[in-house]
């Protein structure tokens, strides 16, 4: 098994020409593509249709190149897009391929391993509840199995994408007497993320079954995953899960590392993540070793207390710019400055993903 | 002459309680206040009234404490507020005081020196033209004289605040047959900043008189100041100028340093500025020496080419969030991460202030 | 008792020159001013500081003209400002004066009567609860008494302004163990409005005491007032109440009428309100009789179902523009077109104020 | 020749199920579709990708049903989408079909006639210039010919969709030394609309060739079309033109009428348009005759003077909501109230389309 990682940028959310050209040049075998993770240039909120537009555009491209219907593509490839390239961030998507022509080797240096799984589509009334947690946890376990990873400790990053409740879906649910965690579309996106995070924690053994309690959602701030990254949006119904780890059975040039970020200013956490990959670049974002990084995955959130290191921030009280857009811009600005690269997957909405007010950073790099 | 620097935060743009308390505790003599520079939590665009609200609130406070009318206060104190605390930034204002009870000393270590000046109010048709450049240049020279600085090279930072053309002012100007650099309010804010930057460059000897040509505005990207920071807004009519330098004649614990930022990711420029003040904190924003910093003044702008280090950014094409708000959030996030502090004056609109797509950083610190 | 009504427009939220000039010309005796109701050009959300800026500017003007402190002015005059002049709306404020030199007459044609009252400042944990309902109901009764109106049926419009929970207040409340109806600032604004509406209904006899149940808030959509208009915002702590009615004891040229709007398209409701005042202008907003109108007060809200007359609207799913801003623009556009005037007080957030998805219209006019 | 008109709504910008179902039910023969005109729920500005998303989704549907490639569909069908369903507006699209199985009849009552044409893609440096005017004028003439309309006076509405200059296109143009009317993406959208409006005026004989002068663009406010409606956006390169008229040669139940709107409050203009179609509904938007209307096409703009009927509006100074979004919400609210229907094509950016600060209304209705 051999994973490969390819990063492409876009002119607009319907632009898939760089991938098309890479396929045409023979650099990517489209049949080996297992997942896409990317940032599109919408607002990252309920009415962000750039994610769906890119999904459709990629399905069409693969449909054409593989001679399969777009629907079939949708069932065999995972698409995880997060909207919002605030500040210096660059719209881009990373293509993850798995070459299965070589079987899992018995032993060797730990290398990037990838597994995926889908859940069924949760009902509107399941979003943000224990039912969704169970669906996600099951999918994480299946994705780990696909990756050939038995021990949760070998997992370095789990990306989950889930749906949310639109105004229309809420109306339909109310019409059939269903009770929703939230009928507010934006709020339901947060609920969907929380259920995803609990699902990851449950599957990885970070929490016990009895801690999966809706009363803990948003409130037990000490329950958080250091490896779960969850996005939600109206363009998906199912929960889509991609598990990333390092495994001795896989062969490639790539490894993954991760580190928590204690708060939105956690420069030290970012350098610690780089240290783990053997990249020394403190204060110098033009360091050559930074060129080894091929993918950066970030979760962050506006501190719920309204304070960062004791000083007030205004993100939660801004009626013009959503708080998640603020924090993506700021943390994206910090990490782009650390890494010297703006092609970062920076996703907001980090409830129970990393410590409160902080988040996560995972980096995939070529080995030195 | 002795300068002092005091930084206060706010609950809202009308909140001046921290200054009131400092006056009441005897820590600040209100009669010594010469200037305010701060960030308010508006959008930083034409319809940002948080700047005017804070100016009014401060005038009232000083009026009450000094027994002078708000108008008199307005004539003797400079108020420079920039709107927009995007991302992690904290609404705050810095109070600059000058104790004149000690005369300029003949010699000594270089310490923070401050001078101010006002221009007359430019006409709408003068905004963004050579006439405004001349007004600003004259004010910079007068402010240098007030600071006792004869050589432009001793100046480390010049803050200018100017007016802009509102829809109403444009209508009035058109009615009298005047031709405007721009009748668009947001665009006129940019014109006002450019004229200010050229005024500073002219006064400091960075450009020659014949380079003050409106054809060069926005186009001669090689003409930029490494020390000019210009804001504009509807709450002022005059141009207000504050010059900061280090001078052997002044006595205090404070010094100022500055450095350009080559682009929005210029981590190295930020650390170079810190190096100049003897603060070593690469990769560690909890370093004790960072506590010496009492004021951080930043200018930045979205790269006009649409690229940062060769990668696309989306700031200029966003119809929902103004480009200046994006860049403040991103550069504010980076520098807050470097400095471990969110109380930064980060101002967008850096046309001809720092290199294209980059900007400036000035730091005032206590001596070690 | 004689009420008078004066409408002024603004160049910006700190502009009170039209009132100053009217006072200087002797048209308004500042000592007779009892209330201001107006629209400022902020976003109408939590971080709308234009309301506070105008309050401060008016207090200063009256302080100067009456020789009383701004705080004293604040205790004797009611300031109700609603942010948001979306679409065609004009920033303006209406000044309500009461000349008490003539006592209530025994009988006569019904004319405009005005009464006011303030509550104490509710605690953060009281906002959006029965405690706030009780405070408002009591204030409405006191305002009716001040207006000399004994029967709730003689009341035509009740304007309430209340506070909300800022991030800072929520933090303080949580620190002392208090439970909040909502810690989300925008959501707390809605809670504050609902409690205000229930308070008005209780005082006017529209609901029984046992219907004042928090379980009914936002859910019992059949409980709504046809005369309550409630705004909330961070610039006030107390609840401020102004009651408008027609009373035979009052003498002036003014009368007030009101009508519900069944939905956001209720053109018929608007014309019914005009009919009540004897103004016939169907399809002709240049009709001379429309010149009799001196004040238009409107409440509206985005239909919670996501549908208007069976068709989808997108207001609730827009992450860039708040739903209340959308509806103010649309209903403001409709009523400005009906009345031929853009100086309308159009306020969103009409929970339990008018039928669901609809609202209220009250017009004050000179008698024919 | 027989035209038909079908209006469908959407759950999201990628939703084309209503059309798919109508095709499946045999109500629409997809081979007869000549044009789509619709409103999508984006921001209507440069970064509105909902238009492109809908175009792609419709091309795919027709590709599947007609067995032709999406590119072929794109060459034979015109897609005109305008973003922005502010306020009460409903995302929807109208499908225009032409059944050519019956030839043009010699005489008969005037009925809806439709013609279309495409231009080549203008270069970035042609956008907003006389070159683009010439391209559009030529396309209008060809579309009239396709519709069998010889006399410009028989044309009632001309819809033009054109491209704009993205940041990337501007960079490329500058690299080859080209001079642009504007390199600012939003501004270039306005230039593209102006050139389109002049093209329509030229083709319809409303202006003389020598009035097609770039110096007149935006400035000669007396030069405006009462029938041109121009949209622009990043999702098209060519200019697409659809001409609507009434012609004795065409057979159907449909007729079209139009009227100018003098300003954003022009209720009378709207009723005059309805009068022209024999629909009497003044003050009653539930009138049965309104059910005859199948399509409403509206152009409007924020008055450039900053005033509406002498009162200030704030649309141009709002840094949070673009002026075009404001005016669409307001005029959409007014006309939805007049017509009792929210499925309106309300498009901003009416430079030289209708009188300054006003616009146009065209209604397609079944004959009584």
């Amino acid at each position: 098994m051999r994973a490969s990682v390819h990063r492409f940028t876009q002119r607009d959310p319907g632009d898939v020409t760089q991938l098309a050209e890479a396929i045409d040049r023979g650099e990517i075998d489209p049949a080996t593509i297992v997942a896409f993770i990317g940032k599109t240039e919408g607002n990252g909120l309920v009415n962000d249709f750039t994610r769906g537009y890119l999904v459709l555009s990629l399905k069409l491209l693969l449909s054409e190149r593989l001679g399969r219907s777009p629907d079939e593509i949708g069932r065999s490839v995972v698409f995880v897009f997060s909207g919002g390239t605030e500040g210096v961030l660059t719209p881009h998507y990373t293509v993850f391929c798995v070459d299965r022509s070589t079987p899992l080797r018995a032993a060797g240096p730990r290398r990037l391993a990838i597994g995926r799984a889908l859940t069924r589509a949760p009902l509107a009334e399941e979003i943000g509840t224990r039912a969704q947690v169970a669906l996600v946890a099951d999918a994480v376990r299946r994705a780990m199995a696909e990756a050939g990873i038995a021990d949760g400790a070998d997992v370095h990053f789990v990306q989950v994408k889930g749906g949310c409740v639109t105004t229309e879906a809420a109306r339909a649910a109310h019409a059939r007497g269903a009770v929703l965690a939230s009928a507010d579309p934006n709020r339901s996106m947060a609920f969907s993320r929380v259920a995803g995070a609990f699902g990851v924690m449950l599957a990885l053994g970070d929490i016990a079954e009895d801690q999966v309690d809706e009363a803990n959602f948003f409130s037990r701030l000490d329950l958080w995953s250091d490896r779960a990254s969850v996005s939600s949006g109206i363009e998906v119904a199912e929960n889509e899960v991609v598990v990333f780890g390092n495994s001795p059975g896989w062969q490639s040039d790539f490894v993954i590392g991760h580190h928590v970020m204690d708060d939105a200013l956690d420069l030290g956490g970012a350098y610690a993540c780089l240290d783990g990959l053997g990249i020394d670049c403190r204060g110098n974002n033009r360091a050559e070793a930074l060129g080894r990084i091929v993918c950066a995955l970030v979760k962050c959130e506006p501190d719920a207390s309204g304070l960062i290191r004791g000083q007030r921030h205004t993100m939660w009280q801004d009626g013009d710019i959503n708080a998640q857009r603020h924090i993506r811009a700021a943390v994206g600005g910090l990490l782009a400055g650390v890494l010297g690269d703006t092609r970062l997957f920076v996703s907001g909405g980090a409830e129970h993903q990393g410590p409160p007010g902080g988040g996560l950073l995972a980096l995939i790099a070529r080995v030195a």
Side-chain angles (χ1 to χ4, degrees), chain A:
Chain A
M1 303 286 274
R2 182 184 300 274
S4 65
V5 183
H6 311 265
R7 187 160 51 180
F8 300 111
T9 58
Q10 302 191 281
R11 281 193 315 267
D12 65 66
D15 173 26
V16 296
T17 52
Q18 290 191 3
L19 173 58
E21 290 165 6
I23 292 173
D24 293 346
R25 286 191 306 264
E27 292 168 16
I28 290 181
D29 172 358
T32 65
I33 296 175
V34 296
F36 293 91
I37 297 183
K39 286 301 301 181
T40 56
E41 57 195 284
N43 62 17
L45 304 169
V46 174
N47 67 325
D48 183 346
F49 304 106
T50 60
R51 299 171 300 215
Y53 188 14
L54 177 53
V55 170
L56 182 62
S57 301
L58 287 168
K59 281 183 181 173
L60 275 172
L61 173 66
L62 295 189
S63 166
E64 192 182 294
R65 295 302 205 274
L66 292 171
R68 289 192 280 155
S69 77
D71 280 357
E72 281 178 89
I73 302 296
R75 280 191 296 272
S76 61
V77 177
V78 171
F79 297 87
V80 179
F81 298 119
S82 161
T85 54
E86 293 82 6
V88 297
L89 298 174
T90 297
H92 75 283
Y93 54 95
T94 303
V95 184
F96 296 94
C97 299
V98 173
D99 174 357
R100 300 172 200 281
S101 60
T102 323
L104 279 181
R105 63 182 173 192
R110 297 174 108 73
R111 289 292 184 266
L112 182 64
I114 302 175
R116 306 148 311 140
L118 291 185
T119 69
R120 67 166 170 80
L123 301 172
E125 55 266 41
E126 289 178 324
I127 287 179
T129 70
R130 297 202 300 169
Q132 193 183 11
V133 173
L135 288 171
V136 171
D138 176 64
V140 172
R141 290 185 196 108
R142 285 185 285 121
M144 285 172 62
E146 185 180 283
I149 297 178
D151 183 355
D154 289 333
V155 171
H156 283 259
F157 199 73
V158 182
Q159 179 63 49
V160 180
K161 177 90 198 200
C164 64
V165 180
T166 62
T167 306
E168 188 182 46
R171 201 164 55 231
H174 287 148
R176 64 174 182 267
V179 176
L180 301 180
S182 175
D184 176 64
N186 268 304
R187 186 71 181 152
S188 80
M189 288 177 74
F191 267 102
S192 181
R193 291 191 296 261
V194 169
F198 273 79
V200 174
M201 287 192 278
L202 184 61
L204 298 185
D206 294 333
I207 55 171
E209 191 82 43
D210 65 358
Q211 289 177 304
V212 181
D213 183 333
E214 284 138 18
N216 292 340
F217 292 5
F218 297 104
S219 64
R220 277 287 302 276
L221 301 180
D222 59 314
L223 299 180
W224 49 267
S225 168
D226 64 347
R227 290 166 289 171
S229 165
V230 192
S231 292
S232 52
I234 94 168
E235 74 280 11
V236 294
E238 301 83 359
N239 277 94
E240 306 178 331
V241 170
V242 192
V243 164
F244 296 92
N246 292 322
S247 161
W250 288 62
Q251 305 174 44
S252 78
D253 285 344
F254 300 102
V255 289
I256 183 167
H258 79 277
H259 203 276
V260 298
M261 290 184 70
D262 286 337
D263 62 20
L265 308 186
D266 192 9
L267 189 72
Y271 282 117
C273 189
L274 287 157
D275 287 344
L277 295 165
I279 297 174
D280 182 8
C281 60
R282 269 179 181 69
N284 174 20
N285 63 29
R286 295 187 185 274
E288 197 182 342
L290 284 167
R292 288 170 41 207
I293 296 174
V294 295
C295 180
L297 303 163
V298 185
K299 262 289 171 179
C300 55
E301 67 172 2
D303 196 293
S305 73
L307 299 177
I308 299 175
R309 300 200 183 177
Q311 301 296 343
R312 187 165 83 95
H313 69 78
T314 61
M315 295 186 259
W316 291 116
Q317 296 198 171
D318 189 337
D320 302 309
I321 301 181
N322 183 279
Q324 305 300 337
R325 305 201 74 181
H326 276 289
I327 195 69
R328 283 192 296 258
V331 173
L334 172 59
L335 293 176
V338 166
L339 301 172
D341 196 325
T342 58
R343 295 168 299 169
L344 314 178
F345 178 86
V346 179
S347 172
E351 305 86 352
H352 301 281
Q353 304 149 65
L360 308 172
L361 169 62
L363 296 170
I364 302 176
R366 289 180 192 281
V367 289

